[in-house]
């Protein structure tokens, strides 16, 4: 019987979160123990990258299904044709000049599915095409912060103040903010169902590590329950700004073949929109379903 003796290597980034996992080929059979170690790294580092992967849609979907339960995307118009769980994130236009995928995904600090009763557990982006500047440097980076590290750094007074608070969240809030930033012009209007409001704790407990994580965002979080409007807005802004301070950021500089995964229970991310056609960006995204935050 042959056995693989080599284990993968985990290389943490210089930032407060983020790591690269080397020595795993996702297109091959990945054994159960390796899947468990990848998940443990994801919980610890909140965002992990596996470089130089060569994945068909089926292989990405199959791997994602081993990490958890696949979730179809809330905006079905952006699916890769023929796949109900695979979304295109892309600035590429079709012959009628319509976007073939989500053209403006993540152009504000956010966490995926914040506006759902059961927010996304993990998101997985596979890079097929990456824009570059004239010097060959990659454009369209994705920035990440750990909301667990951000919570830990709060003053005891602030921890006390926000303990037990709950907030109202909605995708409509995200759209409002994108509109204010002139970033949502190409999106179809939301349906009433997509505008639904959900209540989540302001501090959530990570379902696997038990860490406390700040769970508000300037877009999705509309108001904190039990506070006067102005105080609510001010607290949302203060907590959001605290999470995304420069020194907290892991900047993912994309390469074609990157499979990037992030843990939505303990992080926020932001897509840098510093590129345009003819520079093309094309990603395939899969999502793992989550549970009700507590
Ligand atoms: C997402 C997202 C960021 C990016 O897919 O949820 O925010 O850089 N993407 O494409
Ligand atoms: Mn996102």
């Amino acid at each position: 019987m042959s056995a693989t003796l080599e284990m993968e290597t985990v290389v943490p980034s210089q930032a407060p979160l983020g790591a690269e996992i080397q020595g795993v080929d996702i297109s091959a059979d990945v054994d159960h123990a390796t899947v468990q170690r990848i998940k443990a790294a994801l919980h610890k580092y909140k965002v992990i990258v596996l470089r130089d992967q060569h994945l068909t849609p089926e292989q990405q979907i199959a791997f994602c299904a081993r990490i958890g339960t696949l979730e179809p995307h809330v905006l079905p118009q952006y699916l890769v044709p023929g796949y109900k769980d695979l979304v295109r994130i892309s600035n590429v236009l079709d012959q009628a000049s319509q976007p073939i995928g989500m053209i403006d995904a993540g152009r504000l600090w956010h966490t995926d599915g914040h506006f759902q009763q059961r927010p996304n557990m993990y998101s997985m982006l596979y890079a097929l095409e990456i824009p570059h500047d004239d010097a060959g440097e990659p454009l369209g980076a994705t920035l990440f912060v750990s909301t667990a590290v951000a919570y830990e750094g709060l003053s005891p007074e602030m921890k006390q103040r926000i303990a037990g608070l709950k907030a109202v969240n909605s995708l409509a809030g995200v759209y409002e903010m994108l509109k204010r930033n002139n970033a949502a012009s190409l999106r179809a209007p939301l349906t009433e169902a997509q505008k639904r409001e959900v209540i989540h704790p302001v501090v959530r407990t990570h379902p696997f590590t038990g860490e406390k994580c700040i769970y508000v965002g300037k877009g999705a979080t509309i108001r904190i329950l039990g506070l006067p409007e102005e105080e609510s807005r001010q607290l949302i802004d203060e907590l959001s700004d605290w999470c995304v301070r420069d020194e907290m950021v892991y900047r993912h500089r994309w390469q074609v073949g990157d499979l990037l995964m992030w843990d939505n229970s303990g992080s926020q991310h932001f897509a840098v929109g510093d590129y345009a056609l003819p520079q093309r960006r094309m990603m395939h995204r899969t999502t793992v379903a989550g549970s009700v935050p507590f």
Side-chain angles (χ1 to χ4, degrees):
M1 203 182 98
S2 75
T4 312
L5 294 174
E6 278 168 48
M7 291 237 279
E8 65 282 357
T9 311
V10 180
V11 183
S13 80
Q14 304 290 310
L17 76 166
E20 181 178 340
I21 300 186
Q22 298 170 344
V24 181
D25 177 1
I26 297 301
S27 70
D29 260 346
V30 180
D31 63 33
H32 178 71
T34 306
V35 171
Q36 294 308 111
R37 287 196 300 271
I38 290 174
K39 282 172 80 163
L42 188 49
H43 298 152
K44 179 169 180 185
Y45 295 103
K46 307 296 187 277
V47 49
I48 57 172
V49 61
L50 294 95
R51 304 261 192 204
D52 300 318
Q53 302 295 317
H54 300 275
L55 298 176
T56 64
E58 285 76 12
Q59 286 168 333
Q60 182 177 348
I61 290 166
F63 177 68
C64 195
R66 297 202 50 204
I67 298 287
T69 305
L70 279 162
E71 175 162 317
H73 201 263
V74 281
L75 302 173
Q77 62 268 39
Y78 303 123
L79 291 173
V80 178
Y83 298 93
K84 66 179 185 348
D85 313 304
L86 192 64
V87 178
R88 277 182 181 141
I89 311 282
S90 184
N91 68 336
V92 175
L93 305 177
D94 66 15
Q95 281 169 345
S97 297
Q98 293 304 305
I100 64 163
M102 274 181 94
I103 195 165
D104 56 3
R107 296 286 171 84
L108 77 175
W109 281 104
H110 70 287
T111 169
D112 295 335
H114 200 153
F115 42 82
Q116 297 176 196
Q117 204 67 53
R118 290 180 169 72
N120 308 144
M121 187 69 76
Y122 316 115
S123 307
M124 205 180 269
L125 272 190
Y126 176 54
L128 296 158
E129 294 180 74
I130 296 299
H132 290 93
D133 68 13
D134 292 342
E137 290 297 315
L139 296 170
T142 312
L143 314 184
F144 291 86
V145 293
S146 165
T147 50
V149 173
Y151 177 84
E152 258 325 297
L154 290 174
S155 67
E157 296 72 32
M158 182 58 102
K159 286 180 180 168
Q160 176 96 48
R161 182 176 168 206
I162 64 179
L165 289 180
K166 292 186 186 308
V168 178
N169 304 279
S170 156
L171 186 54
V174 174
Y175 272 48
E176 283 307 313
M177 185 155 169
L178 287 172
K179 250 189 258 164
R180 282 199 296 279
N181 300 348
N182 291 320
S185 49
L186 287 162
R187 286 204 188 182
L190 291 174
T191 63
E192 284 310 309
Q194 287 168 340
K195 286 186 200 163
R196 206 165 59 104
E197 298 187 339
V198 299
I199 295 173
H200 292 310
V202 164
V203 179
R204 69 179 293 186
T205 306
H206 192 287
F208 299 107
T209 66
E211 293 161 298
K212 289 187 172 177
C213 305
I214 294 175
Y215 200 49
V216 296
K218 275 189 190 176
T221 307
I222 295 171
R223 63 182 179 279
I224 297 178
L225 294 175
L227 297 185
E229 174 64 29
E230 194 153 320
E231 187 183 343
S232 158
R233 194 69 251 167
Q234 186 267 328
L235 186 54
I236 292 167
D237 289 351
E238 184 177 346
L239 291 171
S240 305
D241 290 343
W242 176 255
C243 287
V244 305
R245 285 163 296 143
D246 286 348
E247 64 270 29
M248 300 284 283
V249 172
Y250 164 68
R251 182 184 192 91
H252 187 68
R253 291 161 52 87
W254 288 95
Q255 297 172 13
V256 170
D258 282 357
L259 182 67
L260 190 81
M261 285 179 251
W262 61 87
D263 174 350
N264 286 301
S265 304
S267 65
Q268 292 186 11
H269 56 282
F270 177 97
V272 179
D274 59 355
Y275 59 94
L277 290 171
Q279 286 290 323
R280 292 162 57 108
R281 191 176 193 262
M282 171 74 92
M283 311 276 194
H284 280 176
R285 183 183 193 282
T286 46
T287 308
V288 170
S291 45
V292 177
F294 56 93

XYZ file of all heavy atoms in Angstrom, residues 49-51 55-57 60 73 78-81 83 85-92 100-107 123-132 138-144 252-262 269-272 274-275 279-287:
599
model
N -4.784 30.763 1.016
C -4.661 30.632 -0.441
C -3.880 29.364 -0.769
O -2.917 29.020 -0.087
C -3.991 31.873 -1.078
C -2.580 32.096 -0.563
C -3.997 31.775 -2.600
N -4.343 28.671 -1.804
C -3.597 27.573 -2.404
C -3.261 28.032 -3.818
O -4.166 28.315 -4.611
C -4.424 26.289 -2.424
C -4.743 25.719 -1.037
C -6.094 26.162 -0.547
C -4.668 24.205 -1.060
N -1.978 28.182 -4.110
C -1.553 28.733 -5.399
C -1.470 27.640 -6.467
O -1.393 26.453 -6.154
C -0.163 29.376 -5.258
C -0.061 30.455 -4.175
C -0.177 31.841 -4.786
N 0.205 32.876 -3.821
C -0.234 34.137 -3.904
N -1.046 34.519 -4.871
N 0.147 35.034 -3.020
N -8.173 23.909 -11.917
C -9.462 23.342 -11.531
C -10.520 23.524 -12.604
O -10.723 24.634 -13.110
C -9.960 24.015 -10.246
C -9.103 23.847 -8.996
C -9.695 24.655 -7.854
C -8.983 22.386 -8.621
N -11.219 22.461 -12.915
C -12.434 22.577 -13.710
C -13.549 23.017 -12.764
O -13.412 22.884 -11.530
C -12.820 21.217 -14.322
O -13.117 20.317 -13.240
C -11.706 20.642 -15.186
N -14.660 23.524 -13.312
C -15.787 23.846 -12.435
C -16.181 22.657 -11.557
O -16.421 22.812 -10.354
C -16.905 24.199 -13.419
C -16.184 24.781 -14.592
C -14.925 23.954 -14.714
N -13.744 22.273 -8.633
C -13.936 23.292 -7.595
C -15.180 22.986 -6.771
O -15.167 23.064 -5.540
C -14.041 24.695 -8.209
C -14.200 25.768 -7.132
C -14.249 27.190 -7.681
O -13.942 27.431 -8.854
N -14.633 28.128 -6.830
N -26.093 30.871 -5.145
C -25.904 32.304 -4.912
C -27.235 33.046 -4.875
O -28.189 32.644 -5.525
C -25.006 32.906 -5.999
C -24.382 34.185 -5.577
N -24.904 35.409 -5.924
C -23.304 34.439 -4.819
C -24.151 36.359 -5.390
N -23.171 35.799 -4.719
N -25.948 35.732 -12.168
C -24.496 35.711 -12.354
C -23.888 34.315 -12.358
O -22.665 34.173 -12.321
C -23.825 36.564 -11.275
C -24.315 37.995 -11.267
C -24.859 38.563 -10.126
C -24.228 38.764 -12.419
C -25.322 39.869 -10.132
C -24.687 40.071 -12.434
C -25.233 40.615 -11.282
O -25.683 41.903 -11.297
N -24.748 33.296 -12.365
C -24.223 31.931 -12.351
C -23.475 31.601 -13.639
O -23.812 32.100 -14.718
C -25.372 30.934 -12.185
C -26.065 30.937 -10.812
C -27.293 30.034 -10.844
C -25.097 30.498 -9.727
N -22.457 30.751 -13.534
C -21.833 30.182 -14.719
C -22.886 29.285 -15.356
O -23.454 28.433 -14.666
C -20.580 29.350 -14.334
C -19.955 28.722 -15.570
C -19.573 30.215 -13.587
N -23.198 29.493 -16.656
C -24.284 28.714 -17.270
C -24.094 27.214 -17.040
O -23.005 26.672 -17.245
C -24.176 29.067 -18.757
C -23.506 30.408 -18.784
C -22.577 30.424 -17.610
N -24.387 25.703 -14.073
C -23.968 25.381 -12.696
C -24.759 26.219 -11.709
O -24.654 27.440 -11.724
C -22.483 25.666 -12.512
C -21.604 24.829 -13.401
C -21.188 25.296 -14.633
C -21.205 23.554 -12.996
C -20.390 24.525 -15.465
C -20.406 22.774 -13.815
C -20.004 23.265 -15.049
O -19.240 22.506 -15.854
N -24.325 26.373 -8.491
C -23.536 26.782 -7.316
C -22.280 27.561 -7.672
O -21.461 27.818 -6.800
C -23.068 25.542 -6.534
C -24.163 24.541 -6.309
O -25.192 24.944 -5.748
O -23.987 23.382 -6.710
N -22.096 27.872 -8.941
C -20.836 28.486 -9.359
C -21.130 29.862 -9.966
O -21.839 29.975 -10.967
C -20.161 27.579 -10.395
C -18.713 27.893 -10.742
C -17.796 27.698 -9.536
C -18.237 26.991 -11.889
N -20.584 30.898 -9.335
C -20.875 32.278 -9.731
C -19.654 32.872 -10.416
O -18.517 32.597 -10.023
C -21.213 33.130 -8.478
C -21.480 34.574 -8.850
C -22.394 32.546 -7.753
N -19.911 33.685 -11.420
C -18.826 34.427 -12.046
C -18.670 35.776 -11.371
O -19.637 36.531 -11.240
C -19.154 34.695 -13.507
C -18.836 33.575 -14.451
C -19.184 34.087 -15.827
N -18.959 33.094 -16.860
C -19.782 32.925 -17.897
N -20.877 33.657 -18.021
N -19.495 32.030 -18.806
N -17.446 36.081 -10.988
C -17.098 37.431 -10.535
C -16.200 37.956 -11.638
O -15.093 37.449 -11.825
C -16.307 37.389 -9.205
C -16.981 36.509 -8.158
C -16.006 38.787 -8.699
C -18.137 37.106 -7.453
N -16.678 38.923 -12.392
C -15.909 39.315 -13.571
C -16.310 40.692 -14.068
O -17.449 41.119 -13.894
C -16.124 38.292 -14.695
O -15.308 38.624 -15.800
N -15.364 41.374 -14.719
C -15.676 42.648 -15.386
C -15.879 42.447 -16.887
O -16.027 43.422 -17.621
C -14.547 43.665 -15.139
C -13.249 43.282 -15.832
O -13.014 42.112 -16.113
N -12.406 44.262 -16.087
N -15.894 41.197 -17.337
C -16.029 40.917 -18.778
C -17.484 41.132 -19.203
O -18.405 40.789 -18.465
C -15.561 39.472 -19.073
C -15.798 39.098 -20.536
C -14.075 39.322 -18.707
N -21.091 39.591 -17.698
C -21.336 38.145 -17.666
C -21.280 37.603 -16.237
O -21.592 36.448 -15.993
C -20.327 37.371 -18.531
C -18.909 37.525 -17.964
C -20.387 37.819 -19.982
C -17.951 36.482 -18.496
N -20.871 38.450 -15.301
C -20.778 38.017 -13.906
C -20.994 39.212 -13.005
O -21.349 40.298 -13.469
N -20.755 39.025 -11.707
C -20.837 40.161 -10.782
C -19.638 41.039 -11.044
O -18.505 40.629 -10.835
C -20.805 39.674 -9.347
C -22.149 39.303 -8.829
S -22.005 38.773 -7.130
C -22.360 40.288 -6.306
N -19.911 42.249 -11.488
C -18.836 43.126 -11.942
C -18.281 43.933 -10.771
O -17.143 44.369 -10.781
C -19.369 44.038 -13.071
C -18.235 44.711 -13.833
C -20.358 45.060 -12.549
C -18.688 45.312 -15.152
N -19.106 44.112 -9.744
C -18.720 45.008 -8.654
C -18.785 44.300 -7.304
O -19.075 44.899 -6.283
C -19.631 46.238 -8.639
C -21.097 45.852 -8.537
O -21.392 44.651 -8.427
O -21.949 46.757 -8.560
N -18.516 42.996 -7.290
C -18.586 42.247 -6.023
C -17.602 42.833 -5.016
O -16.442 43.065 -5.334
C -18.256 40.774 -6.258
N -18.095 43.094 -3.838
C -17.205 43.403 -2.733
C -16.562 44.765 -2.734
O -15.532 44.962 -2.092
N -17.179 45.764 -3.409
C -16.558 47.096 -3.435
C -16.864 47.917 -2.179
O -17.017 49.136 -2.230
C -17.028 47.857 -4.673
C -16.601 47.223 -5.982
C -15.128 47.442 -6.249
N -14.677 46.655 -7.394
C -14.795 47.024 -8.666
N -15.354 48.177 -8.962
N -14.357 46.255 -9.627
N -16.366 31.371 1.709
C -16.448 31.669 0.286
C -15.129 31.247 -0.334
O -14.069 31.313 0.310
C -16.684 33.152 0.048
O -17.800 33.591 0.793
N -15.210 30.827 -1.583
C -14.046 30.280 -2.261
C -13.965 30.924 -3.647
O -14.920 30.850 -4.421
C -14.297 28.785 -2.406
C -13.090 27.939 -2.519
S -13.574 26.189 -2.682
C -13.605 25.632 -1.002
N -12.862 31.601 -3.937
C -12.690 32.240 -5.252
C -11.506 31.604 -5.958
O -10.416 31.500 -5.380
C -12.378 33.737 -5.098
C -13.482 34.768 -5.000
C -12.854 36.163 -5.114
C -14.544 34.588 -6.052
N -11.738 31.229 -7.197
C -10.685 30.634 -8.016
C -10.379 31.596 -9.158
O -11.275 31.989 -9.913
C -11.165 29.284 -8.547
C -10.194 28.615 -9.484
C -8.875 28.394 -9.099
C -10.590 28.192 -10.744
C -7.978 27.782 -9.959
C -9.700 27.572 -11.610
C -8.393 27.374 -11.206
O -7.509 26.763 -12.053
N -9.117 31.989 -9.267
C -8.721 33.042 -10.223
C -8.365 32.464 -11.584
O -7.399 31.707 -11.710
C -7.536 33.822 -9.654
N -9.138 32.841 -12.597
C -8.886 32.394 -13.978
C -8.155 33.454 -14.788
O -7.316 33.143 -15.625
C -10.224 32.058 -14.651
C -10.980 30.886 -14.021
C -12.451 30.961 -14.349
C -10.388 29.572 -14.482
N -8.520 34.731 -14.564
C -7.848 35.837 -15.253
C -7.703 36.991 -14.264
O -8.647 37.299 -13.538
C -8.671 36.317 -16.464
C -8.783 35.307 -17.581
C -9.616 35.853 -18.746
O -9.114 36.716 -19.492
O -10.770 35.412 -18.878
N -6.535 37.622 -14.282
C -6.218 38.691 -13.324
C -5.721 39.915 -14.099
O -4.863 39.772 -14.969
C -5.103 38.210 -12.355
C -5.603 37.034 -11.515
C -4.610 39.335 -11.458
C -6.786 37.343 -10.642
N -6.263 41.098 -13.792
C -5.764 42.312 -14.463
C -4.370 42.702 -13.969
O -3.992 42.363 -12.843
C -6.799 43.373 -14.066
C -7.421 42.873 -12.806
C -7.334 41.375 -12.830
N -3.637 43.398 -14.822
C -2.278 43.841 -14.467
C -2.081 45.290 -14.871
O -2.736 45.775 -15.793
C -1.229 42.989 -15.194
C -1.155 41.594 -14.677
N -1.874 40.575 -15.241
C -0.486 41.064 -13.635
C -1.642 39.454 -14.566
N -0.802 39.731 -13.583
N -0.039 42.827 -10.441
C -1.470 42.501 -10.426
C -2.317 43.646 -9.879
O -1.916 44.325 -8.937
C -1.549 41.280 -9.499
C -0.313 41.352 -8.656
C 0.741 42.008 -9.498
N -3.487 43.850 -10.486
C -4.472 44.819 -9.992
C -5.664 44.033 -9.447
O -5.724 42.812 -9.553
C -4.904 45.747 -11.129
C -3.790 46.632 -11.712
C -4.272 47.333 -12.982
C -3.323 47.659 -10.686
N -6.622 44.755 -8.869
C -7.821 44.091 -8.371
C -7.563 43.212 -7.161
O -8.105 42.107 -7.055
N -6.753 43.695 -6.225
C -6.471 42.931 -5.005
C -7.741 42.795 -4.167
O -8.709 43.548 -4.350
C -5.387 43.636 -4.196
N -7.743 41.830 -3.264
C -8.808 41.732 -2.262
C -8.170 41.887 -0.885
O -7.157 41.248 -0.591
C -9.550 40.384 -2.368
O -9.876 40.136 -3.740
C -10.824 40.400 -1.542
N -8.757 42.778 -0.080
C -8.228 43.067 1.257
C -9.058 42.332 2.301
O -10.278 42.201 2.153
C -8.284 44.569 1.537
C -7.800 45.520 0.434
C -7.850 46.970 0.944
C -6.400 45.165 -0.022
N -8.407 41.865 3.358
C -9.091 41.131 4.425
C -8.684 41.657 5.795
O -7.543 42.077 5.986
C -8.720 39.636 4.370
C -9.271 38.931 3.173
C -8.573 38.930 1.967
C -10.494 38.281 3.220
C -9.093 38.303 0.843
C -11.017 37.648 2.110
C -10.323 37.655 0.916
N -4.514 40.554 -0.440
C -4.252 39.418 -1.324
C -3.984 39.904 -2.724
O -4.864 40.437 -3.392
C -5.396 38.402 -1.330
C -5.007 37.193 -2.119
N -4.032 36.334 -1.682
C -5.369 36.754 -3.349
C -3.826 35.409 -2.589
N -4.623 35.645 -3.616
N -2.751 39.703 -3.163
C -2.337 40.040 -4.534
C -2.523 38.779 -5.368
O -1.829 37.784 -5.164
C -0.880 40.501 -4.532
C -0.684 41.862 -3.838
C 0.775 42.062 -3.437
N 1.679 41.842 -4.548
C 2.036 42.777 -5.435
N 1.568 44.004 -5.325
N 2.866 42.492 -6.408
N -3.441 38.857 -6.289
C -3.875 37.655 -7.011
C -2.872 37.182 -8.056
O -2.222 37.977 -8.712
C -5.203 37.940 -7.713
C -6.360 38.044 -6.784
C -6.885 39.185 -6.235
C -7.156 36.963 -6.297
N -7.953 38.865 -5.438
C -8.144 37.520 -5.461
C -7.133 35.569 -6.492
C -9.098 36.737 -4.820
C -8.078 34.796 -5.843
C -9.045 35.382 -5.021
N -2.833 35.858 -8.212
C -2.165 35.209 -9.344
C -3.174 34.261 -9.973
O -3.998 33.675 -9.260
C -0.973 34.370 -8.859
C 0.120 35.170 -8.195
C 1.189 34.261 -7.571
O 1.242 33.069 -7.831
N 2.016 34.851 -6.747
N -3.078 34.089 -11.286
C -3.919 33.083 -11.939
C -3.626 31.724 -11.293
O -2.481 31.398 -11.020
C -3.632 33.045 -13.460
C -4.316 31.843 -14.120
C -4.102 34.343 -14.111
N -4.696 30.968 -11.008
C -4.521 29.658 -10.372
C -4.684 29.697 -8.862
O -4.652 28.646 -8.210
N -4.867 30.890 -8.292
C -5.104 30.974 -6.836
C -6.484 30.431 -6.500
O -7.483 30.805 -7.118
C -5.086 32.439 -6.359
C -3.693 33.005 -6.214
O -2.721 32.261 -6.429
O -3.585 34.203 -5.885
N -6.532 29.581 -5.492
C -7.804 29.218 -4.873
C -7.769 29.836 -3.480
O -6.968 29.433 -2.642
C -7.979 27.702 -4.792
C -9.311 27.263 -4.185
C -10.483 27.644 -5.093
C -9.335 25.754 -3.924
N -8.611 30.849 -3.294
C -8.615 31.596 -2.039
C -9.895 31.261 -1.284
O -10.971 31.207 -1.877
C -8.581 33.092 -2.351
C -8.333 34.019 -1.172
C -6.845 34.083 -0.864
C -8.836 35.431 -1.466
N -9.756 30.999 0.008
C -10.937 30.703 0.825
C -10.942 31.628 2.022
O -9.885 31.872 2.610
C -10.843 29.270 1.373
C -11.123 28.217 0.370
S -10.943 26.623 1.192
C -9.444 26.102 0.421
N -12.124 32.126 2.387
C -12.180 32.922 3.606
C -13.332 32.472 4.483
O -14.286 31.861 4.027
C -12.212 34.413 3.319
C -13.357 34.938 2.517
C -14.567 35.346 2.994
C -13.400 35.171 1.099
N -15.348 35.817 1.970
C -14.663 35.714 0.799
C -12.471 34.971 0.054
C -15.038 36.056 -0.504
C -12.852 35.314 -1.235
C -14.113 35.846 -1.501
N -13.992 41.571 4.109
C -13.130 41.765 2.950
C -13.626 42.904 2.070
O -14.755 43.377 2.221
C -12.961 40.472 2.152
C -14.251 39.862 1.695
N -15.068 39.134 2.540
C -14.868 39.858 0.502
C -16.125 38.709 1.868
N -16.037 39.143 0.623
N -12.753 43.328 1.156
C -12.977 44.513 0.317
C -12.269 44.295 -1.011
O -11.088 43.949 -1.046
C -12.392 45.738 1.027
C -12.485 47.033 0.261
C -13.516 47.924 0.508
C -11.521 47.370 -0.688
C -13.593 49.127 -0.190
C -11.595 48.566 -1.388
C -12.633 49.445 -1.138
N -12.982 44.487 -2.117
C -12.393 44.307 -3.444
C -11.925 45.653 -3.978
O -12.712 46.597 -4.065
C -13.424 43.703 -4.387
N -10.665 45.761 -4.327
C -10.105 47.013 -4.843
C -10.434 47.127 -6.339
O -10.045 46.282 -7.137
C -8.572 47.061 -4.636
C -7.997 48.360 -5.186
C -8.221 46.895 -3.158
N -9.375 48.871 -8.964
C -8.377 49.753 -9.599
C -8.010 49.304 -11.007
O -6.892 49.515 -11.456
C -7.112 49.802 -8.718
C -6.498 48.418 -8.501
O -7.105 47.411 -8.944
O -5.423 48.341 -7.879
N -8.938 48.652 -11.708
C -8.640 48.129 -13.050
C -9.884 48.305 -13.921
O -10.982 48.556 -13.410
C -8.273 46.639 -12.968
C -9.396 45.821 -12.375
C -10.344 45.194 -13.185
C -9.551 45.727 -10.993
C -11.411 44.502 -12.638
C -10.600 45.033 -10.444
C -11.531 44.425 -11.268
O -12.590 43.760 -10.724
N -8.289 45.222 -19.459
C -7.745 44.299 -18.455
C -8.893 43.471 -17.885
O -9.824 44.027 -17.300
C -7.036 45.082 -17.346
C -5.701 45.644 -17.771
C -4.657 44.559 -17.968
O -4.619 43.578 -17.233
N -3.817 44.722 -18.975
N -8.831 42.173 -18.059
C -9.942 41.307 -17.659
C -9.686 40.662 -16.298
O -8.564 40.285 -15.980
C -10.124 40.182 -18.688
C -10.608 40.662 -20.043
C -10.347 39.609 -21.107
N -10.946 38.318 -20.812
C -12.015 37.807 -21.451
N -12.612 38.493 -22.396
N -12.460 36.604 -21.146
N -10.757 40.555 -15.537
C -10.700 39.808 -14.270
C -11.803 38.764 -14.325
O -12.956 39.077 -14.628
C -10.924 40.753 -13.103
C -10.639 40.150 -11.715
C -10.811 41.263 -10.697
N -10.299 40.984 -9.356
C -11.061 40.566 -8.356
N -12.344 40.329 -8.538
N -10.539 40.396 -7.148
N -11.452 37.527 -14.050
C -12.437 36.449 -14.101
C -12.171 35.465 -12.970
O -11.087 34.889 -12.881
C -12.350 35.738 -15.458
C -13.174 34.472 -15.556
S -14.925 34.786 -15.692
C -15.043 34.821 -17.461
N -13.185 35.337 -12.113
C -13.097 34.426 -10.966
C -14.307 33.514 -10.972
O -15.401 33.939 -11.370
C -13.176 35.209 -9.647
C -12.280 36.392 -9.549
S -10.682 35.831 -9.032
C -9.937 37.376 -8.573
N -14.121 32.315 -10.480
C -15.249 31.422 -10.211
C -15.402 31.287 -8.702
O -14.446 30.994 -8.000
C -15.002 30.036 -10.826
C -15.304 29.996 -12.289
N -15.075 28.889 -13.072
C -15.843 30.934 -13.123
C -15.455 29.131 -14.320
N -15.903 30.365 -14.376
N -16.631 31.514 -8.253
C -16.864 31.544 -6.808
C -17.823 30.449 -6.394
O -18.865 30.255 -7.012
C -17.483 32.883 -6.447
C -17.722 33.123 -4.981
C -18.418 34.485 -4.884
N -18.455 35.013 -3.548
C -19.297 34.625 -2.605
N -20.163 33.657 -2.843
N -19.290 35.196 -1.414
N -17.462 29.743 -5.344
C -18.392 28.808 -4.699
C -18.541 29.229 -3.241
O -17.688 29.921 -2.690
C -17.883 27.356 -4.765
O -16.507 27.329 -4.406
C -18.071 26.759 -6.149
N -19.624 28.783 -2.644
C -19.981 29.239 -1.301
C -20.394 28.050 -0.447
O -21.099 27.160 -0.924
C -21.173 30.221 -1.402
O -20.847 31.234 -2.350
C -21.469 30.867 -0.066
